[in-house]
């Protein structure tokens, strides 16, 4: 079926037409299938979310590899932010892995083919908040395209090594599942570039491969660290009989466990590294009852314990890398809480803690690359992003171009522009604007709390206060004007049980009582005085099962009680915005509790949810903005190895529930949100993306516009005034989908149409802000919202043939502007900058500040969407910037003044064009005529006209620095001055306008006199049989300009 | 903006040809070329195009400017755009590039840097790499099906004689180009421009796109340049010296190509 817009028949010969007929006969149609109105990512594709970062604190980096050279090419793997590439030695970075899982475990560049890069997904630093991967990927074109090469069920990959001479031989060291047993783990080898894999080292279903190194001189000599580990919702265990260090000398065909000199008994996580410059030297950091660094000088046969200092023993499950200097076997690096540097073969380490190096760098180090061509050049990956040193770790530059920030929760205030608040994994709590001059830069963000950050809120009852928290319920209050931070943690009454707070403790504000704040321990707490005091408004809402309260014993061989394993706590709080007293609570141990009387009585309704296993983590409760009894709940089983997407809805206060999940969805569910206006429009965040449903959960489509496809979405909020969806990702910062109006109106009826206009919110005529534009590269800058009027429409199919444009008409029906249309299938959004086209300006030898047209006047405008033969009519509304300090009268005067100058520039353009036209006629007639005196007179006339021109416009070839300012330049400069401001022009400007208008009128008077002289010359020309001089009239000029 | 203009035009003008019977399953490059040319008016018609002139409007945000694109087989191109009545020129004469940018008082043309000239050369193939690719030094490979903004498309990898890679995407239903991606390395760094192509209309028996939107890697989010074609003329008279670098000054007072053809640049 041909598209109706397509101009059907090309005029062709019969023979050629037959060829066309063949082509038509085989052309796929697809039109019938589309009638079922399924929605997919492309349906939403013209709506793009904008990233606002930030990168000021960045986020956890798991792995780094680089290609040395005059310019270093760097690949960085982030814990939950994908793979980034720099081709300028780490100044700027671009994401190269946005269509794939964002949790990265290992990145390895093929040493013999640097455009080939292997990425193992799934982070190996198995903290409580770790994400999941999905196999190993390979690029052969430097990251432009990737291919999944299998090992999908390994969940996390700790290390990859590529044979230095054989690109097809690759080893993948896979940890396997963290939360349950599985068999696809251990060490895998391919000899055919990843087409097939052989598991060459395997212990059992609870033990994975944690590290792997290769002898630089004998690539068949391999050292592999095997690790037994398991995480549960309230517990982590590192170590067991499965752990051990193994060696192969035949490329992995056979293995020997290395034990001589290593600790006996259960071991935990082991890091292993061979000295490239002397492969007989091998280092191993071994977690055991007594964790220590060991060293071998005989290829691993025997080992000597050399160091058990703080940095060597700290948190082995989280810090387990050793890097040996490429040229000095005695220099070894231990990235851990700090960067430990040893120059004596590991016997002693200097660090920020114990020595003189490495201050000013975020703690918690996971990755280090040492440049083999310049050993002073280090690239270090930490919990707070990437650092580059040029002096072997004495000083570091923080890379401020990596927006891999790991938000947990997000909120907004109601300022103009509104601010965004949130807390981040190991990177505190921050607030930043949703719009800033020149874009949202790192410098626009303000730190509002330290530690691991989670919830952060502006106090609706007193905007001087901002609340944030750090791990385990450490709530704090910042006084914005002074910056003073106050701890406001609740404590239980005398004799009562201590409060249990989740790692990520929920804070919520009442929509009914301004300033009333909820805080979740095992009981729900409320403060009505900015945190000065707290009251309990519930009993223990959790299971309070002591079997699940083991955080103090958590860690395995190395006790690790950071509050990350706190359990049987409240995790989600939501009060109904439409029915006071209805409060929902979700707990990490699987309870959904609701009160309808403000906390007097509570009911656990989780058993009413069909098909839900016990004790699954309630990640979110979203009380409906429309109905008091309605709520959405998301449930997450990944901490028991269950990755299903669970989202449920009740409409009767929890008595009954129905699942809203479909097979479309992917990733365990973390947050759900019902739209504030259209109850059928739902948003869902999972570990693998942002999802939208237009029909209340009947169908879900992944939202991919401007966002990484599989980024983990932890939280979201709708800014009610703007109708913006603000999305907190754990790994790529905050995204904002501006103006939900088109989505709110994308009904089934619209989806069934071939083309339809969609409404948009009134367009604010944002006051332009000054921004210094010369900050160079290397600083991440988030996008501002559009400062144009957005026009949205829906196309059932891509537009290919004929016109697609939008015409904008004013109230008088005059066409102001034609905007080119975009053509994609689904929603399209195009911008009208709310200005007339730029003014016509007479040519000269420099430019005047008249590149943009005057602003359109406030009010409604008719738009016509023209698609081929179809025309759809709609409206956009222009409204003033709500911050404007200018009265309507003054704004109107500005617009009228700019328009007056606009018209003057146009009049002047006509004048100069007519003058030049007459001058050139005179010159050409002078050349053509054989009467010397007439020719002379014509030349003189042309010169006179040219003199006049040089009085009107700059003609100096010195150009921009000539100072040659004529009437054109004066009107142009005044236009620029008036047009760049949104309020009343200055008195000086208005006075100047009068003067320049007078000068322009005088110029026209002078022109009339000069033009009249053409009659005399024309008579002489006619006497000589030549064409007379013809005046270019305004009408003829306008026609020419059309 | 100058290079972007040129880039956009070339992207829009990426048109194609060749002919063979249809394959049952995966299309061959010959199939795709054949169908593309048939969809756009036929190989003969395209081979018959020796010159072209396009005039229209380019817009980027609130700014816009008229432009004119002139092309002459095999590889000459001249692009003009007018700002405040002054006309800038960029041209490639088949061997080298030159530019005239009179906006700041400079009225003499300047020779283009080689990397800029290479970009202009890229714009100098109006008929595109799918028409007689081997004659023009292109290597074409079918690169599979891929969606372009949700629309199924056939992807063709184009490698030019300098080793630069472009991808041309043909709408799976209509076989006309709907997107072109150019990957170019400039002083060691890669710049990728993506052109969305559409609004096809018939001109003298061939289908010519009348709109393109270009996004360049590294540009701010949402920043793009749209070229809208108002008039497309084929086989107009264009003298070779329109493309050659003038020895003296070039257009000064806003005279753009107006369809007469063949006249020398104003001096």
């Amino acid at each position: 079926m041909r598209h109706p817009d397509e101009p059907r028949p090309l005029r062709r010969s019969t023979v050629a037409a037959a060829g066309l007929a063949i082509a038509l006969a085989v052309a796929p149609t697809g039109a019938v299938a589309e009638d079922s109105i399924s929605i997919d990512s492309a349906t939403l594709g013209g709506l793009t979310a904008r990233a606002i970062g930030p990168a000021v604190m960045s986020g956890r980096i798991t792995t780094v590899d680089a290609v040395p050279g005059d310019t270093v090419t760097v690949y960085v793997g982030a814990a939950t932010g994908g793979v980034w590439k720099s081709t300028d030695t780490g100044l700027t970075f671009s994401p190269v892995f946005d269509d794939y899982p964002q949790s990265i475990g290992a990145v390895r560049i093929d040493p013999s083919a640097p455009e080939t890069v292997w990425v193992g997904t799934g982070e190996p630093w198995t903290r409580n908040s770790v994400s999941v991967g999905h196999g190993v990927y390979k690029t052969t074109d430097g990251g432009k395209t990737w291919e999944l090469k299998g090992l999908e069920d390994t969940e996390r990959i700790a290390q990859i090594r590529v044979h230095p001479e054989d690109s097809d031989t690759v080893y993948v060291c896979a940890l396997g599942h963290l939360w349950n047993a599985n068999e696809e783990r251990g060490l895998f080898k391919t000899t055919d570039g990843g087409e097939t894999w052989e598991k060459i080292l395997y212990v059992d279903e609870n033990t994975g491969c944690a590290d792997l190194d290769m002898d630089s001189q004998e690539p068949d000599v391999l050292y592999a660290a095997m690790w037994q580990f398991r995480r549960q919702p309230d517990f982590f265990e590192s170590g067991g009989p499965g752990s051990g260090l193994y060696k192969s000398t035949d490329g992995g065909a056979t293995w020997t466990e290395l034990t001589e000199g290593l600790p006996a008994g259960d071991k935990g996580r082991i890091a292993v590294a061979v000295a490239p410059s002397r492969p007989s030297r091998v280092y191993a950091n071994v977690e055991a009852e007594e964790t220590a660094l060991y060293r071998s000088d005989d290829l691993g046969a025997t080992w000597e314990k050399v160091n058990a200092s703080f940095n060597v023993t700290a948190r082995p499950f989280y810090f387990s890398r050793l890097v040996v200097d490429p040229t000095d076997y005695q220099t070894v690096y231990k990235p851990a809480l700090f960067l430990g540097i040893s120059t004596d073969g590991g016997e002693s380490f200097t660090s920020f803690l114990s020595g003189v190096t490495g201050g000013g760098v975020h703690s918690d180090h996971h990755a280090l690359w040492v440049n083999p061509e310049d050993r002073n050049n280090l690239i270090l990956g930490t919990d707070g992003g990437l650092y580059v040193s040029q002096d072997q770790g004495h000083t570091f530059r923080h890379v401020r171009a990596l927006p891999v920030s790991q938000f947990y929760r997000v909120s907004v205030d109601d300022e103009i522009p509104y601010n965004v608040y949130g807390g981040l994994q190991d990177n505190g709590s921050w607030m930043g604007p949703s719009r800033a001059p020149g874009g949202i830069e790192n410098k626009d963000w303000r730190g509002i709390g330290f530690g691991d950050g989670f919830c952060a809120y502006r106090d609706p009852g007193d905007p001087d206060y901002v609340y944030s928290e750090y791990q385990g319920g450490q709530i704090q209050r910042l006084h914005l004007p002074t910056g003073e931070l106050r701890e406001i943690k609740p404590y239980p009454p005398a004799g009562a049980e201590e409060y249990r707070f989740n790692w990520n403790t929920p804070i919520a504000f009442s929509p009914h009582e301004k300033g009333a704040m909820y805080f979740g321990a095992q009981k729900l707490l409320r403060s009505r005085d900015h945190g000065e005091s707290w009251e309990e408004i519930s009993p223990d809402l959790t299971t309070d099962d002591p079997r699940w309260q083991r955080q103090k014993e958590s860690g395995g061989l190395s006790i690790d009680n950071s509050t990350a394993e706190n359990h049987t706590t409240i995790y989600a709080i939501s009060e109904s915005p439409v029915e006071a007293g209805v409060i929902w609570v979700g707990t990490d141990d699987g309870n959904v509790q609701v009160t309808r009387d403000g906390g007097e009585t509570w009911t656990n309704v989780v058993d009413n949810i069909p098909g839900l296993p016990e004790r699954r983590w309630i990640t979110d409760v979203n009380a409906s903005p429309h109905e008091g009894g309605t709520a959405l709940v998301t449930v997450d089983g990944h901490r028991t190895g269950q990755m299903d997407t669970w989202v449920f809805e009740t409409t009767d206060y929890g008595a009954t529930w129905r699942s809203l999940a479909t097979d479309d969805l992917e990733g365990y569910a973390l947050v759900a949100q019902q739209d504030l206006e259209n109850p059928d429009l739902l948003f869902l965040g999972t570990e693998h993306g942002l999802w939208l449903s237009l029909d209340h959960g009947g169908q879900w489509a992944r939202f991919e516009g401007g966002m990484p496809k599989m980024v983990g979405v932890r939280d979201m909020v709708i800014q009610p005034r703007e109708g913006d969806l603000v999305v907190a990702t754990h790994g790529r910062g905050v995204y904002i989908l501006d103006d939900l109006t088109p989505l709110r109106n994308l009904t089934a009826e619209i989806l069934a149409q071939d083309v339809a206009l969609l409404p948009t919110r009134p367009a604010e005529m944002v006051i332009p802000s000054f921004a210094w534009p010369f900050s160079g590269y290397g600083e991440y800058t988030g996008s501002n919202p559009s400062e144009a009027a957005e026009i949205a429409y829906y196309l059932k199919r891509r537009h290919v043939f004929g016109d697609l444009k939008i015409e904008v008409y004013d109230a008088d029906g005059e066409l102001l502007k034609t905007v080119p249309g975009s053509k994609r299938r689904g929603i399209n959004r195009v911008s009208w900058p709310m200005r007339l086209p730029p003014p016509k300006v007479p040519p000269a030898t420099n430019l005047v500040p008249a590149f943009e047209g005057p602003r359109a006047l406030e009010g409604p405008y008719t738009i016509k969407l023209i698609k081929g033969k179809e025309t759809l009519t709609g409206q956009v509304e222009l409204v003033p910037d709500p911050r404007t300090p200018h009265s309507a009268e003054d704004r109107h005067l500005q617009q009228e003044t700019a328009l007056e100058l606009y018209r003057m520039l146009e009049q002047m353009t006509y004048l100069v064009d007519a003058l030049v036209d007459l001058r050139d006629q005179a010159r050409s007639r002078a050349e053509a005529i054989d009467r010397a005196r007439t020719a002379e007179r014509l030349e003189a006339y042309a010169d006179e006209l040219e003199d006049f021109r040089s009085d009107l416009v700059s003609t100096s070839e010195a150009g921009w620095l000539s100072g040659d300012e004529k009437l054109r330049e004066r009107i142009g400069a005044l236009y620029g001055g008036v047009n760049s401001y949104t309020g009343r022009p200055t008195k000086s400007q208005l006075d100047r306008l009068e003067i320049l208008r007078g000068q322009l009128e005088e110029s026209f008077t002078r022109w009339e006199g000069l033009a009249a002289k053409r009659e005399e010359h024309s008579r002489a020309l006619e006497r000589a049989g030549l064409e007379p001089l013809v005046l270019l009239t305004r009408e003829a000029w306008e026609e020419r300009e059309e | 903006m100058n290079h972007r203009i040129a880039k956009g035009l070339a992207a829009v003008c990426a048109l194609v040809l060749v002919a063979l019977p249809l394959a049952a399953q995966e299309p061959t490059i010959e199939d795709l070329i054949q169908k593309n040319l048939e969809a756009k008016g036929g190989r003969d018609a395209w081979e018959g195009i020796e010159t072209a002139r396009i005039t229209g409007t380019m817009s980027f945000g609130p700014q816009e400017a008229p432009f004119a694109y002139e092309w002459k087989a095999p590889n000459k191109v001249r692009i003009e755009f007018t700002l405040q009545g002054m006309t800038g020129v960029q041209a490639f004469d088949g061997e080298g590039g030159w530019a005239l940018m009179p906006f700041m008082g400079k009225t003499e043309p300047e020779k283009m840097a080689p990397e800029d000239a290479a970009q202009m050369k890229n714009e100098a193939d109006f008929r595109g790499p799918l028409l007689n690719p081997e004659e023009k030094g292109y290597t074409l490979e079918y690169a599979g099906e891929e969606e372009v903004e949700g629309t199924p498309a056939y992807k063709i990898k184009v490698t030019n004689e300098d080793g630069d890679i472009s991808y041309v995407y043909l709408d799976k239903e209509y076989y006309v180009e709907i997107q072109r991606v150019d990957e170019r390395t400039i002083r060691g760094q890669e710049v990728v421009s993506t052109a969305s192509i559409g609004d096809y209309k018939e001109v003298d028996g061939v289908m010519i796109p009348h709109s393109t939107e270009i996004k360049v890697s590294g540009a701010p989010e949402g920043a793009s340049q749209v070229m809208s074609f108002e008039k497309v003329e084929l086989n107009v008279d264009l003298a070779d010296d329109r493309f050659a670098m003038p020895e003296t000054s070039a257009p000064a007072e806003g005279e753009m190509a107006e369809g007469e053809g063949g006249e020398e640049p104003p001096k």
Side-chain angles (χ1 to χ4, degrees), chain A residues 31-192:
Chain A
V32 175
E34 282 168 9
D35 289 340
S36 63
I37 318 170
S38 69
I39 63 158
D40 58 18
S41 298
T43 312
L44 316 169
L47 294 180
T48 51
R50 58 187 170 98
I52 64 167
V56 56
M57 77 300 281
S58 202
R60 187 163 74 253
I61 303 298
T62 49
T63 180
V64 179
D65 201 7
V67 184
D70 292 341
T71 305
V72 178
T73 295
V74 188
Y75 290 88
V76 175
T80 49
V83 180
W84 295 71
K85 180 182 182 182
S86 168
T87 56
D88 52 20
T89 315
L91 179 65
T92 64
F93 281 85
S94 303
V96 294
F97 204 66
D98 277 3
D99 290 341
Y100 308 100
Q102 294 293 290
S103 177
I104 306 303
V107 172
R108 184 64 59 194
I109 299 161
D110 184 337
S112 61
E115 290 289 285
T116 296
V117 182
W118 293 81
V119 167
T121 62
E123 187 191 6
W125 311 117
T126 52
R127 61 164 309 109
N128 62 330
S129 56
V130 73
S131 182
V132 293
H134 187 70
V136 64
Y137 292 76
K138 178 186 181 184
T139 177
T140 55
D141 55 14
K144 289 196 190 89
T145 58
W146 297 87
E147 200 178 336
L148 175 61
K149 288 296 184 186
L151 306 181
E152 290 92 329
D153 196 36
T154 54
E155 192 178 284
R156 53 199 74 249
I157 291 172
Q159 189 62 274
I160 299 174
R161 299 284 174 189
V162 183
H163 193 288
E165 286 110 36
D166 175 10
S167 294
D168 285 340
T169 296
V170 179
Y171 301 90
V172 170
C173 163
L175 277 173
H177 290 198
L178 170 61
W179 298 283
N180 60 351
N182 81 313
E183 291 186 356
E184 193 164 67
R185 62 168 90 207
L187 183 58
F188 296 84
K189 179 180 185 179
T190 178
T191 54
D192 54 12

Side-chain angles (χ1 to χ4, degrees), chain B residues 6-73:
Chain B
K7 189 168 298 223
L9 283 162
V12 168
C13 301
L15 311 174
V16 188
L17 345 171
V18 181
L20 271 184
L22 300 162
Q25 297 287 319
E26 185 167 280
T28 65
I29 192 71
E30 290 79 14
D31 293 337
L32 294 176
I33 289 173
Q34 148 93 359
K35 290 179 142 188
N36 173 266
L37 290 175
E38 288 297 337
K40 295 191 309 190
R43 162 180 287 276
D44 291 348
W46 277 92
E47 286 186 336
I49 301 173
E50 290 293 325
T51 67
R53 176 190 289 115
I54 299 171
T55 49
T57 304
M58 46 187 266
S59 46
F60 26 98
Q63 303 181 12
E64 63 177 45
F67 73 86
Y69 168 96
E70 294 177 342
W71 166 82
K72 184 170 187 176

Side-chain angles (χ1 to χ4, degrees), chain A residues 1 3 6 12 26 28 87 144 797-800 802-803 817 823 825 844-846 848 852 919, chain B residues 35 38 62 64 84 86 103-105 149-151 173-174 183 189-190 196 199-202 211 253:
Chain A
M1 184 182 290
H3 195 270
E6 181 180 354
R12 315 160 57 91
V26 299
T87 56
K144 289 196 190 89
R797 310 167 74 196
R798 186 181 182 87
H799 173 82
V800 178
D803 283 326
K817 172 86 177 167
K823 309 166 202 322
R825 172 163 79 80
T845 54
N846 59 26
V848 294
E852 297 183 350
R919 178 199 71 189
Chain B
K35 290 179 142 188
E38 288 297 337
E64 63 177 45
Q84 298 191 0
M86 293 170 276
F103 310 107
M104 312 279 266
E149 297 172 337
T151 296
E173 185 168 1
Y174 300 113
E183 300 174 352
Q189 294 292 329
E190 187 170 79
S196 173
D199 291 13
Y200 279 85
K201 295 180 195 173
E202 186 190 338
S211 165
E253 286 157 20

